[in-house]
Amino acid sequence: EHLIKEGEMFSTTSDTEVVLTGYIRYGISYIEELNGIFSIALWDGKRKKLYLIRDRVGVKPLFYTKRGDTLIFASEIKGLFAYPGVKPVINREGLCEIFGLGPAKSYGKGVFKDIYEVLPGHFLEYDREGLKDRAYWELKAKEHTDSVEETVEKTRFLLTDAINRQLVSDMPLCFFLSGGLDSSIIVKTASQYYKENKLGKINTYSVEYRDNEKYFKKSLFQPNADFEYISLMSRNADSRHREIILDNKAVADALYDSVIARDLPGYVDVDSSLLLFCGEIKKDYTVALSGECADELFGGYPWYHNKEILFEDNFPWSKSQDVRSSILKDGVLPKGAEYVRQKYLDTINLAPKLKTDSKTDARMREMLYLNFYWFMQCLLERKDRCSMYNGLEVRVPFCDYRLAEYAYNMPWKIKAYNNREKGIVRKAFEDILPEEICWRKKSPYPKTHNPIYFDICKERVVNILKKKNPLTEMLSKEGIMNIIENPDSITTPWYGQLMQAPQILAYIIELDYWFEKYNVEIV
């Protein structure tokens, strides 16, 4: 609409034409006007210049590598391997990424040797003078001058606006509904929008595992099951709801496809279940909205609220390297812990702060920065790869960059309104949500608790240990068998709140498949 007012003409309704027209009129600075999820390759034939552009938050992927004077780029790593001479090689740094940080990876890295990723909020400029990396957006520390009441109102406005913007689609939309706060806000807001515009009922989907209710166990991270809240929210939003129940063997079998989707070992059954879930939704829909990233921006995780964890000087979702080291033979990664430690320090040292920040607010900025560039990127990668593998586009309204900027500068006492995780978000939407939903304790993405899944993973890992290949040469059979025989001994999760003994075994399964399928070479 802005470009039309400036006198531009359009022959299609394509976003691609908008981007090109904006670039032609204003140059590369036009990307600062874009609000969305994208990776763009733009060739300017007149100037003989290529731009590789990634959205501000990093929802969409964009990888690249160089071979001499040739720049090769793709939205998937496997696309780079299609180019002659680009090979799946990993070195010691890559091993540190896989065993020390995985399923996360350093931002800007592709794990494989000499493969990189355009950073969120950056673009690359490539011409005869070479390759330049430029930032067009970044989180900045600013004074928060809004009152609590104004903050509540602005949070509600920004998120509501982000949701409504993302309801614009050429294809019918559906919605993920977990029964938690974040997806419920999106579902309720969309439902109201549909009713106001006489668009009919919305369609919602949830995921569960066969017989999971029999084996569910409460924990600090997962205090209650989701199904009762899903039903409540579906009725409240008057949605047509469908629960997709996944078979545990199918979830284990899909570990292999999820490696292909990511081109790397990933978030194991958290990936594979999402991949199957998206495959079912794709039978009916091409576009969906989901509630990722509220926890990273608004302090939803326990490590934001537990002072003992908050001020520990390490990645809060992977505090110890002990379990990781236990599956490797001595000497495989002698400096692995130092590598991980340096990645942590490099990140917190980049976090912008104000001199007036209290000790807690300064640490919260570091924590949000860590979550934004590490934990959140891992979840966004999972969401994008597992959905797009099925041809399903999943949009994430909480990743609107305006919301990220506002959240970064919100004082902790306001953000944690009422001393609750995501307290300000709860307050902002309490008048449109059922009280049980609005003030429900956070529960993560559902995982299987069925012992069948552990038994399947156990059997497959035992067979892997019988092989003789580059991977098993690095693995400690004794350490892995200890996890198999004493699964409850894993008191510190491998990664986040979901990777316990079954998931560690699943990660070994993915590693084995990845090494073989991609013919990974270690140098």
Side-chain angles (χ1 to χ4, degrees), residues 193-210:
Y193 179 92
Y194 271 50
K195 287 177 181 176
E196 290 168 5
N197 292 276
K198 296 180 173 58
L199 298 174
K201 291 188 176 185
I202 64 171
N203 289 269
T204 53
Y205 289 82
S206 63
V207 64
E208 187 51 277
Y209 304 85
R210 184 158 289 125

Side-chain angles (χ1 to χ4, degrees), residues 294-311:
D295 294 304
E296 289 79 8
L297 298 177
F298 289 97
Y301 295 118
W303 49 72
Y304 278 100
H305 299 267
N306 185 321
K307 289 293 177 69
E308 292 181 10
I309 302 175
L310 176 64
F311 287 99

